[in-house]
Amino acid sequence: MTQIEKTALARLEREGRLLNAVLKGPMSKPGRFGFRGDIALKYQAQVADEKRPPDFCMEQVLTFAQENEPTIPILAGYLHNFAYLETAVEVLGDLLSPDGVYFMFCNNIDLLSKFRVKIGDITFNVLPCDESTVWKEMMDLCGVDKNDIKKLDTAGKTDYLLDAALKFNDAFEIIAYQQGVERMEPVKNRNENRPV
């Protein structure tokens, strides 16, 4: 059984950043430890010992780490604001690899735009996401049919989808992070149009 302490996710776990987990445990493939949930990126200032929710997170994360490997080979997540990508890179830092496959779905980019952004030597595939989920978008992007995985458990489904995503090779235009910030749209209020 793979332990989180032996993987690249260990530091995030120690820092208390792995939240709202749907999956946090060994995967169906040996040596893999998977995580589906949120990664806290910025915390609010804490007063005394009260526990406050993070200011913002990378949400709906799908990832796994391989035992005894220093970096995360694949990760997909959702950012409510494209500008948070810089913070995500600071937080994940040395856990990301130039050879890794990373997808970031953002709420405030044009719904027709898809591009790649390089921060340092790490490349992200950046795609729009509105009124959908990272899971559904990744299934569509990787051409995985839900009937192919319906008999698998959560870890098995996650393994299957992330294995398909590792083969993803679509040459989106590469733009600088700053260009992405200039192109991004206003951040939508999540609570707008919700019944009270």
Side-chain angles (χ1 to χ4, degrees):
M1 293 288 272
T2 306
Q3 306 282 312
I4 194 167
E5 296 77 38
K6 294 184 176 156
T7 72
L9 294 169
R11 174 172 65 79
L12 300 177
E13 173 73 355
R14 281 194 306 273
E15 292 171 2
R17 293 187 186 274
L18 302 180
L19 309 173
N20 307 325
V22 177
L23 166 72
K24 186 159 98 176
M27 303 288 270
S28 54
K29 295 209 163 172
R32 272 187 191 179
F33 191 94
F35 176 72
R36 277 178 68 181
D38 300 340
I39 296 176
L41 296 179
K42 182 170 186 267
Y43 286 105
Q44 296 182 38
Q46 275 186 284
V47 182
D49 58 354
E50 82 178 309
K51 199 92 167 110
R52 293 185 170 194
D55 257 353
F56 58 87
C57 293
M58 183 192 304
E59 300 168 33
Q60 302 177 41
V61 171
L62 309 172
T63 189
F64 69 75
Q66 199 70 37
E67 199 168 19
N68 301 323
E69 285 186 15
T71 57
I72 295 168
I74 184 158
L75 179 138
Y78 169 86
L79 293 174
H80 196 56
N81 183 344
F82 170 78
Y84 296 162
L85 186 60
E86 200 168 42
T87 309
V89 173
E90 285 166 17
V91 167
L92 296 170
D94 57 346
L95 302 180
L96 300 175
S97 150
D99 307 326
V101 181
Y102 306 118
F103 300 88
M104 210 47 72
F105 292 86
C106 301
N107 180 281
N108 63 331
I109 62 169
D110 184 288
L111 287 174
L112 299 173
S113 65
K114 293 177 178 164
F115 50 86
R116 286 184 295 168
V117 170
K118 236 179 144 147
I119 297 183
D121 54 1
I122 307 301
T123 305
F124 289 88
N125 295 291
V126 179
L127 302 106
C129 186
D130 188 36
E131 307 290 319
S132 185
T133 63
V134 169
W135 181 264
K136 184 178 177 326
E137 294 292 325
M138 287 298 291
M139 292 276 285
D140 291 349
L141 192 67
C142 299
V144 175
D145 189 298
K146 60 177 189 271
N147 292 324
D148 297 341
I149 60 172
K150 67 179 181 193
K151 292 195 171 98
L152 303 172
D153 62 8
T154 303
K157 287 177 179 166
T158 307
D159 262 339
Y160 190 102
L161 179 56
L162 291 177
D163 279 336
L166 279 167
K167 299 183 190 94
F168 181 80
N169 189 13
D170 204 332
F172 299 146
E173 164 198 22
I174 295 189
I175 66 168
Y177 169 76
Q178 202 48 47
Q179 282 175 283
V181 170
E182 284 157 18
R183 287 185 195 180
M184 72 186 191
E185 299 172 350
V187 177
K188 297 178 182 94
N189 176 351
R190 291 182 188 212
N191 302 319
E192 211 172 22
N193 304 328
R194 286 209 177 151
V196 177

